[in-house]
Amino acid sequence: MGNGNDSILEAYLFETNSLLEQLDSLVLAAEEKDSFSEEDVNTIFRIMHTIKALQHDGIQFPDDNRTPAEDLFAIVRDKSMEIVPEALRPALFDLLFQIIDFFRGEIERIENGQPLTQTIDSLLQKVNSF
């Protein structure tokens, strides 16, 4: 029988995978509508906040403790989706899917006992460039 740390890790992996599935579905639905509702943005913030709260040793966020998705959605939340020109919306959705895929990759590394990515600088650079 596994020890307590194994069950904590299993719970972490299950919860984070569930949240990433929810986030993926929400972003996919928003992509089809070409917009995020206020409720969508609030849900995304809740999901990302929960993922941060569940942080596994090694998955660290930048010094301001915000995830890349939160950086993007802070602008959308504060200014509405209209701040993103229609021509750039496909790039926004693509970037959000890259963020989700990054977190999925990190979870897969944990599941396989592999070391985590040491930095998310390239992902943050894409967010900042956007």
Side-chain angles (χ1 to χ4, degrees):
M1 183 185 297
N3 63 30
N5 287 338
D6 288 344
S7 31
I8 291 171
L9 180 58
E10 287 175 22
Y12 164 79
L13 294 170
F14 176 79
E15 186 65 24
T16 303
N17 276 319
S18 296
L19 290 168
L20 289 172
E21 284 297 319
Q22 183 182 359
L23 184 61
D24 193 48
S25 295
L26 196 139
V27 173
L28 188 60
E31 182 181 37
E32 290 174 7
K33 296 183 296 186
D34 197 39
S35 187
F36 289 95
S37 68
E38 183 178 335
E39 182 180 341
D40 292 341
V41 173
N42 290 334
T43 300
I44 289 168
F45 269 98
R46 278 193 303 277
I47 290 170
M48 295 312 299
H49 181 74
T50 303
I51 288 173
K52 281 191 317 190
L54 293 172
Q55 278 187 64
H56 183 269
D57 291 339
I59 296 180
Q60 299 299 320
F61 296 99
D63 292 336
D64 65 2
N65 203 30
R66 286 192 351 199
T67 67
E70 285 175 307
D71 287 339
L72 288 175
F73 279 98
I75 295 167
V76 173
R77 178 188 62 194
D78 296 343
K79 307 282 185 185
S80 89
M81 188 65 175
E82 299 306 313
I83 194 75
V84 181
E86 285 190 38
L88 292 179
R89 290 182 185 176
L92 170 67
F93 288 108
D94 183 56
L95 188 52
L96 290 169
F97 287 121
Q98 288 178 44
I99 292 167
I100 293 167
D101 288 344
F102 170 81
F103 283 109
R104 278 199 174 117
E106 293 302 287
I107 295 304
E108 189 173 307
R109 284 181 178 87
I110 293 169
E111 290 171 336
N112 293 324
Q114 298 171 331
L116 297 170
T117 303
Q118 295 300 309
T119 179
I120 61 170
D121 291 345
S122 64
L123 189 57
L124 291 175
Q125 184 177 3
K126 290 179 183 179
V127 170
N128 292 334
S129 293
F130 185 82

